Amino acid sequence: MEIVNSEIEKPSSDDSSSTNNSQSQRRVGILYDERMCKHSTPDGDHHPENPNRIRAIWKKLQIARIPQRCVVLNAKEAEDRFILNVHSKKHVDLIKNISSKAFDSRRNKIAAKFNSIYFNEGSSESAYLAAGSVVDVAERVAKGELNSAFAIVRPPGHHAEHNEAMGFCLHNNVAIATSFLLNERPELGIKKILIVDWDVHHGNGTQKMFWKDSRVLFFSVHRHEFGSFYPANDDGFYTMIGEGPGAGYNINVPWENGRCGDADYLAVWDHILIPVAKEFNPDIIIVSAGFDAAVGDPLGVVVSRHMGTQLC
């Protein structure tokens, strides 16, 4: 799930009526599409990344009557040319075609070559809808049509790298939207983007895609455990700060134990993220909003062995 947020303009005076008027005119977009539930395990077995992940969110929002207070948007598929800004042609071709009948007999074998990935007949459509939806809401916020937007999408994206699907992620949705705003729509005036990744796992794919780019400040807080927690490498260590023009624009806050709570997160927000964000002064904020850091989520607390690494 990804949230796209623009900077909030403050009222120019202390007049309460001005404040109330500003709030009443805020437009929040929300996007959900049942077609993204077509991506599921080919054998029907239970998997932590399953259609109920987004169905549960949408149901909860409906019960609270949140959609009635928002601008409800339809999903749209991403265009290859925008995905190619962050992914290789080989990767794009694979995700585009993996659901076709031509891959029926070897789909599972191909999936097994990747780290924590499955494919079925609905994977291609779901992946394109997820990426395209984040691009769409990001563009709408950048244009000023919306003040902010929440895209409820799957499959997720922050582990997907330039030439590799991994960690349940097929397309790197946030990276595609970020690149789209910076490189495809310069007329919108988005020159600096802050990406906040609060998923319990490190956003390795997103980090690598903007490693040398000073236009993007990537901030990730995640369970790390000295590189033993998924994706089980040193990419999420605090010394990984970017390179070249991007040096200093990559900030990792690695939790080296699994017992961090609300107070720890608030401390990081107050003492690291907010001061740095104010200094960076982004034109737009994109939140890579995985919810597996929440209390009781099995991905944050259960460890199993997969392909020789710890997967959580």
Side-chain angles (χ1 to χ4, degrees):
M1 288 64 70
E2 280 78 27
I3 301 172
V4 180
N5 227 347
S6 66
E7 288 187 297
I8 299 175
E9 295 185 4
K10 297 179 180 179
S12 57
S13 71
D14 294 331
D15 183 17
S16 60
S17 63
S18 174
T19 301
N20 292 335
N21 186 54
S22 174
Q23 293 299 319
S24 65
Q25 293 181 352
R26 289 188 56 77
R27 290 169 58 83
V28 178
I30 189 167
L31 187 150
Y32 173 80
D33 195 310
E34 183 70 16
R35 288 178 294 170
M36 282 181 274
C37 294
K38 293 180 180 179
H39 175 62
S40 60
T41 52
D43 49 14
D45 287 348
H46 174 74
H47 191 280
E49 207 302 288
N50 64 76
N52 286 332
R53 279 184 133 190
I54 61 172
R55 284 174 176 155
I57 294 172
W58 184 240
K59 182 178 180 180
K60 191 73 172 180
L61 293 174
Q62 286 182 309
I63 292 173
R65 298 184 64 80
I66 298 298
Q68 287 85 339
R69 297 159 53 190
C70 300
V71 179
V72 180
L73 305 169
N74 295 319
K76 60 170 59 176
E77 293 191 1
E79 296 182 37
D80 284 352
R81 60 194 176 107
F82 301 142
I83 302 174
L84 285 166
N85 285 333
V86 300
H87 287 296
S88 69
K89 188 176 187 306
K90 178 182 177 182
H91 175 88
V92 171
D93 288 344
L94 174 66
I95 302 304
K96 179 196 293 187
N97 298 312
I98 196 66
S99 294
S100 66
K101 291 187 178 297
F103 282 82
D104 283 351
S105 62
R106 51 198 173 105
R107 193 176 293 128
N108 291 347
K109 187 176 181 180
I110 293 172
K113 296 180 180 179
F114 296 104
N115 188 332
S116 307
I117 289 294
Y118 64 79
F119 297 120
N120 76 331
E121 295 84 353
S123 297
S124 296
E125 182 180 8
S126 297
Y128 270 82
L129 287 169
S133 296
V134 179
V135 168
D136 185 42
V137 298
E139 184 177 24
R140 289 174 185 269
V141 173
K143 285 180 175 179
E145 295 177 9
L146 301 169
N147 296 93
S148 61
F150 183 19
I152 308 168
V153 303
R154 64 177 293 276
H158 72 157
H159 291 310
E161 299 192 351
H162 175 69
N163 196 39
E164 183 179 2
M166 64 177 291
F168 313 159
C169 303
L170 303 188
H171 286 147
N172 197 312
N173 308 315
V174 160
I176 293 169
T178 298
S179 179
F180 173 83
L181 292 180
L182 292 173
N183 301 313
E184 301 293 337
R185 292 292 184 269
E187 70 276 10
L188 297 179
I190 304 298
K191 298 179 179 179
K192 293 189 295 182
I193 295 177
L194 167 63
I195 299 175
V196 178
D197 189 326
W198 65 42
D199 188 284
V200 77
H201 307 98
H202 179 241
N204 56 288
T206 313
Q207 171 175 293
K208 290 180 179 179
M209 289 172 178
F210 302 108
W211 185 246
K212 297 182 179 181
D213 197 334
S214 62
R215 300 173 300 171
V216 179
L217 175 59
F218 177 70
F219 176 91
S220 178
V221 56
H222 48 270
R223 190 170 168 185
H224 186 248
E225 301 196 9
F226 303 99
S228 65
F229 198 79
Y230 192 86
N233 54 44
D234 293 331
D235 290 346
F237 204 52
Y238 71 89
T239 55
M240 304 295 282
I241 62 170
E243 185 180 345
Y249 293 89
N250 195 88
I251 300 175
N252 287 315
V253 179
W255 301 130
E256 304 302 3
N257 65 78
R259 298 184 179 277
C260 297
D262 291 349
D264 302 286
Y265 277 84
L266 288 170
V268 168
W269 255 239
D270 289 342
H271 298 290
I272 303 177
L273 176 58
I274 293 177
V276 169
K278 287 182 177 179
E279 181 68 23
F280 183 62
N281 192 25
D283 298 307
I284 201 166
I285 302 168
I286 301 181
V287 182
S288 198
F291 297 120
D292 47 10
V295 172
D297 189 288
L299 290 183
V301 297
V302 178
V303 180
S304 62
R305 285 289 174 181
H306 182 86
M307 296 183 69
T309 64
Q310 286 187 332
L311 169 64
C312 304

